[in-house]
Amino acid sequence: MDILLQTISPSFLVLAFAVAFVAGAVKGIVGFAMPMVMISGLSTFLPPELALAALIIPTLVSNLWQALRQGVAAAVETVKMFKVYVICCLGILVLSAQLVRSLPQGALFLLIGIPVAAFALLQLIGWRGRLRGQSIGWEAAVGSFAGFMGGLSGVWGPPTVAYLTAIGTEKQDQMRAQGTIYGLGALALLGAHVQSGVLRAETVPFSIAMVLPALAGMGAGLWVQDRIDQAAFRKATLAVLLAAGVNLVRRGLMG
């Protein structure tokens, strides 16, 4: 039995399911943050490599659901619209994924925690940023950064959301764009971490087991989205993400 999986006791498995459910619920409400919540939550009681493996398949399945809610044709149009971002993000993601197993644990915590905390803090204090429409340069730069983060941590949502918000993307288009970009990124992430060894025969069952609670949470989140004030709930979500990011930074500095 793989040494990573020996760390999963029955109580840890229940906690992991709970984290996956909460991550899915957050995604159902705001359209992103499943990987951030999962990596932040799971890595508090599991090795970071196993936490990363656990989120890969649920992230793929949930993003395919989100991307295809308006149909395949709409998703294809979204890919065409953001093709520069997608190409840069996926290319860098595949390359940076190969660094995961060579990085010290503390460095990985910092690489995950700092962007998560910074993004959440900026959003909470009201920063949105504005660009005058799409820009190839900005798409390439932000897409590359998102891919670098995604390959290392499975988290590439914050820069994507920031960019889509900065160019003034309409709500429905933004939700579909997030699902499409994240879905393609999740496919690349899966392939990259099969290659890196993070996702392998010993860890795939654990990742598959996370799918059901994650989708259950996402379904609950979509139900809640229609019944409460989304802006207020999003602020609460960002506060939780800020706390999770700060905790990861603390662990990285201590490690």
Side-chain angles (χ1 to χ4, degrees), residues 7-255:
T7 63
I8 306 179
S9 66
S11 59
F12 279 2
L13 188 60
V14 171
L15 282 174
F17 286 164
V19 169
F21 182 88
V22 171
V26 172
K27 182 171 180 62
I29 293 166
V30 300
F32 73 105
M34 177 183 281
M36 285 193 293
V37 174
M38 288 189 73
I39 196 72
S40 298
L42 294 176
S43 60
T44 60
F45 57 90
L46 294 176
E49 184 181 325
L50 184 55
L52 176 57
L55 68 83
I56 293 173
I57 296 179
T59 298
L60 172 61
V61 176
S62 64
N63 281 313
L64 290 177
W65 180 6
Q66 182 176 335
L68 298 175
R69 291 189 76 193
Q70 282 90 43
V72 175
V76 171
E77 285 303 310
T78 299
V79 173
K80 292 178 181 178
M81 186 183 303
F82 295 101
K83 59 182 179 296
V84 173
Y85 191 102
V86 169
I87 290 169
C88 292
C89 181
L90 300 191
I92 299 298
L93 185 151
V94 171
L95 294 175
S96 65
Q98 308 312 311
L99 300 175
V100 169
R101 305 190 78 187
S102 63
L103 286 174
Q105 180 172 300
L108 186 55
F109 279 136
L110 289 173
L111 285 168
I112 298 167
I114 291 173
V116 168
F119 172 76
L121 180 60
L122 287 171
Q123 293 287 299
L124 283 169
I125 63 177
W127 179 86
R128 292 295 182 270
R130 286 290 184 269
L131 295 174
R132 295 180 179 178
Q134 288 183 255
S135 160
I136 292 177
W138 275 108
E139 279 199 25
V142 180
S144 296
F145 177 64
F148 181 74
M149 280 180 57
L152 289 171
S153 66
V155 175
W156 59 94
T160 301
V161 174
Y163 177 73
L164 292 174
T165 301
I167 64 174
T169 311
E170 292 296 326
K171 180 181 177 181
Q172 188 178 61
D173 292 338
Q174 180 162 329
M175 293 293 287
R176 185 174 61 253
Q178 286 183 61
T180 303
I181 291 170
Y182 302 159
L184 291 171
L187 279 172
L189 188 72
L190 186 150
H193 283 309
V194 168
Q195 179 68 29
S196 73
V198 169
L199 197 65
R200 54 189 183 277
E202 295 84 3
T203 58
V204 163
F206 183 48
S207 190
I208 291 174
M210 295 295 103
V211 172
L212 186 58
L215 292 186
M218 187 172 174
L222 290 170
W223 184 87
V224 171
Q225 184 183 39
D226 297 328
R227 290 165 174 78
I228 67 167
D229 181 85
Q230 185 174 343
F233 192 88
R234 185 170 184 272
K235 287 182 179 179
T237 299
L238 288 169
V240 172
L241 289 177
L242 176 60
V246 170
N247 181 56
L248 287 170
V249 171
R250 178 189 63 81
R251 294 187 65 187
L253 293 173
M254 291 176 62

